[in-house]
Amino acid sequence: MRFATLALLALAALAGCSPPAPKPSPKLAWAYPTGKPVALPAPPAGPQHVPGSPLTLDLVAIEKAGALPDWFPDEHPAPPAIVAHAAAKGPTPCGECHLIAGVGFPGAADLEGLPAAYIIEQVKEFRAGRRRSAQADRLDTLEMIKVAQQVSDADLAAAAAYYAALTRRARHRVIETDTVPATRPSYFGWLDLVANGKPEPIAGRIIEVPEDTDRLFLSDPHLTIIDYAPFGSVVRGEKLVRTGGPGGQACASCHGADLRGGDTAPPLAGRSAAYLARMLWDFKTGARTGPAAAPMATPAGKLNEAQITDIVAYLAARAP
Ligand code: HEC
Ligand code: HEC
């Protein structure tokens, strides 16, 4: 009995010493949407088109063959198998979530034009357990961790070289507004538009939605993603980025003068506001941790939710 009590006390003392478990903030719920379990929509049957592509594709047949739609094959070199094809025992191909064009999908990051060394490093961080989500059960991040654990180093190098060689694309349009279309959190970690929903007050959020949901599910890399942001957020964000805000280190000092990436830090300009907000919160709460993430401890550590919202509105609005 006495031993049990002592053991409990020791456990309580240990718990008291360890940092609190990372958690998403309710004020950033827009960046960590979590909906009820549903199946992903099946690919639409019959011949499909997207604007500007010379191709007509049958997505059902493509899926059956373990391949992925490639609407603009002239815009990139031939992708390695790990990017574009499912293999019997291999991980889900990178292009399933990041697209063959590398522009990403809501919920997953854009990879096109990121430095190859950074891509490799980050996959190894996922693998090592140093890169998680502040939302412990975030499906998207758990999927990425699974890929990181399954991918061979040779395939990872091939994927990194392929994505790093692509030119970054402008994909986001930031619109400052008071009211936003009605959305609901999807199971997969992004916001779904509610058909015929009543517009809602923006209430300090950023609402990131595709310009066209059908084209999203056709994996059209030319699709624009709209980020509705609160009035004044872009100007306030610009000032925070320039000064570094409460951390006092100008973001450009590491991320490059135009925020298009520095020697040691990845690009930030023109990226998904929801993704960037999650990353800042993940750094702040220690969900993204270890020596690679250490340079972000001070810049992200003292940011509050409103400052994060302003910063990412500004960053998403910049030309990539
Ligand atoms: C099932 C979906 C999925 C697949 C397949 C996938 N990823 Fe990811 N990836 C994600 C998600 C989601 C994130 C963002 C995770 C987070 O931090 O919360 C991500 C993030 C990344 C990042 C971090 C980008 C940054 O800016 O820091 C890299 C690098 C990456 N993935 C590389 C790869 C590579 C290489 C492959 C193929 C070997 C791959 N991914 C396959 C979903 C996926
Ligand atoms: C001292 C250098 C430094 C400063 C200053 C800095 N960063 Fe970073 N940042 C980094 C590094 C290095 C990484 C990559 C971390 C890693 O490898 O895990 C990074 C990563 C990030 C990421 C994640 C990008 C991705 O692809 O997932 C975001 C978002 C970010 N920084 C935002 C900012 C903002 C906003 C500021 C200014 C308030 C800032 N950073 C200031 C060095 C810096």
Side-chain angles (χ1 to χ4, degrees):
M1 186 70 187
R2 223 175 114 233
F3 276 118
T5 314
L6 276 177
L8 275 178
L9 280 174
L11 270 179
L14 271 178
C17 292
S18 57
K23 262 201 241 127
S25 162
K27 289 183 189 161
L28 292 177
W30 55 265
Y32 292 91
T34 329
K36 299 209 172 67
V38 286
L40 259 183
Q48 304 295 325
H49 296 275
V50 300
S53 169
L55 305 177
T56 301
L57 298 180
D58 177 344
L59 270 70
V60 177
I62 289 174
E63 187 178 89
K64 235 188 198 157
L68 295 168
D70 188 0
W71 292 105
F72 300 95
D74 295 343
E75 292 182 356
H76 56 74
I82 181 68
V83 167
H85 284 280
K89 282 196 180 137
T92 311
C94 318
E96 177 111 13
C97 305
H98 298 289
L99 271 55
I100 289 179
V103 295
F105 203 81
D110 51 315
L111 301 183
E112 91 279 19
L114 298 187
Y118 175 75
I119 294 177
I120 292 170
E121 173 198 66
Q122 291 305 305
V123 172
K124 291 187 171 169
E125 292 300 294
F126 284 115
R127 192 187 286 164
R130 287 187 293 266
R131 183 166 171 179
R132 294 167 298 138
S133 174
Q135 182 185 349
D137 61 351
R138 188 173 161 78
L139 204 68
D140 270 335
T141 311
L142 295 178
E143 286 287 323
M144 181 58 223
I145 291 169
K146 202 157 79 186
V147 170
Q149 287 165 346
Q150 291 177 340
V151 69
S152 71
D153 285 351
D155 278 346
L156 173 56
Y162 168 76
Y163 280 126
L166 304 180
T167 309
R168 293 190 56 72
R169 282 194 83 88
R171 184 157 162 94
H172 288 266
R173 184 146 60 93
V174 174
I175 301 176
E176 291 193 346
T177 176
D178 277 335
T179 49
V180 291
T183 52
R184 72 167 77 86
S186 90
Y187 180 49
F188 305 99
W190 59 75
L191 291 173
D192 280 334
L193 286 161
V194 176
N196 306 315
K198 231 175 87 210
E200 301 172 347
I202 191 161
R205 301 170 295 168
I206 290 178
I207 297 298
E208 187 172 273
V209 286
E211 171 193 42
D212 179 325
T213 303
D214 291 341
R215 283 172 62 199
L216 177 73
F217 286 108
L218 293 173
S219 296
D220 177 358
H222 288 187
L223 172 71
T224 297
I225 308 285
I226 301 174
D227 286 278
Y228 294 102
F231 276 115
S233 55
V234 172
V235 166
R236 289 192 300 269
E238 178 173 18
K239 186 163 174 222
L240 287 161
V241 165
R242 197 173 58 239
T243 60
Q249 287 175 281
C251 312
S253 64
C254 296
H255 289 279
D258 46 12
L259 303 160
R260 291 182 172 140
D263 290 340
T264 57
L268 302 176
R271 303 187 72 181
S272 151
Y275 174 75
L276 295 172
R278 278 195 298 279
M279 292 308 113
L280 288 170
W281 194 259
D282 289 354
F283 284 123
K284 180 185 162 93
T285 55
R288 228 179 128 166
T289 186
M296 278 305 294
T298 300
K302 294 195 189 111
L303 294 175
N304 64 30
E305 294 91 333
Q307 289 166 325
I308 288 178
T309 305
D310 290 342
I311 286 175
V312 302
Y314 169 69
L315 292 174
R318 304 276 308 171

